[in-house]
Amino acid sequence: MSLPVLPALTAPVASPLDLIGRTPMVEATRLDTGPCRLFLKLESQNPGGSIKDRIAISMLDAAEREGWLKPGGTIVEATAGNTGLALTLVGRARGYKVLLVIPDKMSKEKIQHLRAMGADVRLTRSDVPHGHPEYYTDMAERLAQQLPDGFYVNQFANVANAEAHVKTTGPEIWEQTAGSVDAFVAGIGSGGTITGVAQYLKSVGSDAQIVLADPVGSTLAGIVNEGVPGPEGSYTVEGIGQNFVPDTADMSLIDKAYSIPDAEAIATVRELLLKEGILAGSSSGTLIAAALRWCREQTEPKVCVTLVCDTGAKYLSKVYNDAWLADQGLGERDIHGDLSDLISRKYAKGDVVSAGPGDTLDTAFKRMRSADVSQLPIIDDGRLVGIIDESDIVHVMNTDAITREARFKKPVGDVMTRDLDTLQVNEPLDALIPIFDRDRVALVLDGEQFVGLITRTDLINHLSLNR
């Protein structure tokens, strides 16, 4: 297949909104694609960092045209983050207020980004089903009804959602592949992408297979493959997968579905970064894993297209954080059958934030704050000699009759606790309970070597992952 030559540069534009769409496509040449060629459309290159920029323009244009959204009004939406970012980008540029309802499992980067852009963000529960008053779509609709100028976008039933992909994404894929696409792989969040692209491809006579990439725990793959919803469960991938069929999704257009476990999706997206240099989000891992499965099943050369839905910069604290993956039971780690299995941040690997006895309290406190921990082990010449926590620092602040500046200059060794609650790594789980009853953390040793800390949260997480 020969690809058309596109202009290298375009003229300057008046607004970031003018840069939405016309995203580049790159071939994955270092992944195992079997006999096929796999092309990735980089929707992460949109100014808002995701494919949702396309539908934000489309849905707000339609709302203004039809009179649902008046000047100075409030845009209200339920979102996993990316649609919210796109609506905020477009809506704030047009002078609207934006109120977003987001499930509490979404990455902090997305939430911080939204608030920095001026959106009013309301977090709600991610552990309740569609129809529950605290489910994000139900809450958003209710809030919109309470606002006299509120417009509930409802991407899950908004016809302008799929229309954006009929008019832009589909034609771009057709142009960039010179009309030779054999399969298109996408997920379903709101359903607009897979529906709109499929409608366009069929309208130009393409016989490309439409393939659904669905997280394990979403019910949608079962509907495609067996005609009934699949088993419902939880998953960490953000932005795709549902326990209901959105009105926007035309399931009859989908030919095949793959259920992708979180671990496979995350391993795929991290491999994409290592081998192809593309920093992509968690849902992209699901899509690319499904595309790779499809490619490897083929017996002759074919062309498959999927999406890098958004940038991985929004998931650095999760998908690209080894400690977070370990906490979720998703990281690659050796199981030893001892207390070290509870420790996701090990000292020997450099994962433990620590201080030395000669460091100042100011240094120790700044390390605690930047790492979002409440205690630090104190290491001297490779050996554990103490621990300091917030209460130790507060005690110094309240009792010493010296200036505040001098207090923070005190060495950690003068303040740290030397009476340590240590356990050997081969002791049983039950040995943790007396330490936790004293409101302390367990310091685990292997002989004299410091292994790491165990907190109540570590124990609970371990029991939850190993039920």
Side-chain angles (χ1 to χ4, degrees):
M1 181 191 73
S2 60
L3 298 178
V5 177
L6 300 177
L9 295 172
T10 60
V13 296
S15 163
L17 304 189
D18 297 326
L19 298 173
I20 293 174
R22 300 297 298 172
T23 55
M25 184 180 285
V26 63
E27 182 174 3
T29 59
R30 296 176 179 86
L31 301 179
D32 177 11
T33 61
C36 299
R37 300 181 72 184
L38 174 60
F39 292 90
L40 310 176
K41 190 159 173 61
L42 302 183
E43 291 300 302
S44 54
Q45 298 299 304
N46 281 301
S50 86
I51 194 171
K52 298 298 187 178
D53 287 7
R54 296 176 183 269
I55 70 171
I57 287 277
S58 179
M59 294 188 298
L60 294 185
D61 281 350
E64 291 171 340
R65 188 170 58 246
E66 296 166 13
W68 293 104
L69 188 56
K70 303 291 198 306
T74 301
I75 297 165
V76 182
E77 183 58 325
T79 171
N82 283 326
T83 301
L85 286 165
L87 288 170
T88 305
L89 175 70
V90 179
R92 296 288 290 178
R94 297 183 180 182
Y96 299 112
K97 299 183 287 292
V98 182
L99 189 159
L100 304 171
V101 180
I102 299 181
D104 56 15
K105 77 171 185 177
M106 301 309 161
S107 71
K108 64 182 181 182
E109 288 91 347
K110 286 183 184 176
I111 295 167
Q112 290 166 345
H113 190 171
L114 286 166
R115 287 176 170 153
M117 291 176 71
D120 179 359
V121 178
R122 311 287 179 88
L123 296 180
T124 189
R125 293 170 60 183
S126 56
D127 62 343
V128 292
H130 181 59
H132 189 284
E134 292 187 60
Y135 191 73
Y136 69 140
T137 57
D138 298 83
M139 180 180 287
E141 184 173 11
R142 186 170 65 252
L143 289 172
Q145 292 170 350
Q146 294 169 358
L147 295 171
D149 61 351
F151 167 63
Y152 177 39
V153 178
N154 193 7
Q155 60 180 310
F156 300 95
N158 194 316
V159 295
N161 180 344
E163 284 178 0
H165 300 292
V166 174
K167 293 177 179 177
T168 68
T169 319
E172 289 173 29
I173 290 171
W174 189 249
E175 176 186 344
Q176 288 170 306
T177 60
S180 61
V181 57
D182 296 302
F184 173 68
V185 181
I188 290 179
S190 61
T193 302
I194 199 167
T195 298
V197 172
Q199 287 174 344
Y200 176 80
L201 291 177
K202 293 185 184 302
S203 75
V204 295
S206 171
D207 59 359
Q209 272 201 308
I210 306 302
V211 180
L212 172 64
D214 206 35
V216 169
S218 169
T219 63
L220 301 176
I223 295 173
V224 173
N225 293 333
E226 284 88 33
V228 295
E232 186 176 347
S234 61
Y235 46 92
T236 61
V237 167
E238 300 182 21
I240 58 173
Q242 297 290 356
N243 59 6
F244 69 100
V245 177
D247 292 343
T248 306
D250 185 348
M251 304 298 283
S252 68
L253 298 172
I254 303 172
D255 300 300
K256 185 181 181 111
Y258 293 95
S259 290
I260 306 296
D262 281 333
E264 183 180 350
I266 290 168
T268 300
V269 80
R270 289 176 67 122
E271 182 184 15
L272 180 72
L273 179 58
L274 285 172
K275 293 186 176 179
E276 303 285 352
I278 298 172
L279 181 63
S282 59
S283 62
S284 302
T286 304
L287 270 58
I288 296 167
L292 289 172
R293 286 197 194 184
W294 186 89
C295 288
R296 293 164 186 166
E297 289 174 1
Q298 306 310 305
T299 57
E300 58 186 48
K302 291 185 178 180
V303 172
C304 180
V305 174
T306 190
L307 309 166
V308 172
C309 310
D310 66 351
T311 170
K314 300 172 183 177
Y315 307 88
L316 295 177
S317 65
K318 300 179 80 172
V319 173
Y320 297 96
N321 180 345
D322 291 341
W324 182 86
L325 292 177
D327 288 341
Q328 305 299 312
L330 296 172
E332 294 184 6
R333 55 187 301 192
D334 296 328
I335 301 300
H336 301 282
D338 57 25
L339 290 180
S340 67
D341 295 341
L342 281 70
I343 303 172
S344 58
R345 297 159 181 83
K346 292 189 169 67
Y347 178 72
K349 293 184 176 181
D351 298 332
V352 176
V353 180
S354 63
D359 289 325
T360 65
L361 286 184
D362 188 50
T363 296
F365 174 66
K366 286 177 178 176
R367 289 180 186 172
M368 291 164 66
R369 185 172 58 183
S370 64
D372 194 23
V373 296
S374 57
Q375 66 277 313
L376 292 181
I378 309 305
I379 309 294
D380 186 21
D381 219 10
R383 294 181 63 254
L384 176 71
V385 295
I387 189 168
I388 187 170
D389 63 18
E390 293 165 339
S391 63
D392 296 320
I393 298 175
V394 169
H395 180 72
V396 172
M397 296 301 108
N398 286 338
T399 58
D400 284 4
I402 55 177
T403 66
R404 183 175 299 168
E405 181 180 8
R407 290 172 186 172
F408 276 102
K409 288 182 178 179
K410 274 182 169 287
V412 168
D414 290 354
V415 178
M416 68 184 186
T417 299
R418 297 176 184 272
D419 179 20
L420 304 178
D421 292 291
T422 62
L423 295 174
Q424 286 296 314
V425 71
N426 58 0
E427 294 190 53
L429 288 184
D430 289 347
L432 295 167
I433 304 306
I435 295 174
F436 294 156
D437 285 343
R438 295 194 298 274
D439 290 327
R440 308 283 284 271
V441 297
L443 300 154
V444 180
L445 304 176
D446 185 0
E448 293 188 357
Q449 298 297 313
F450 178 51
V451 179
L453 299 170
I454 299 179
T455 66
R456 288 188 181 91
T457 300
D458 295 324
L459 175 59
I460 294 168
N461 191 59
H462 175 77
L463 296 174
S464 176
L465 293 173
N466 299 278
R467 299 185 185 188

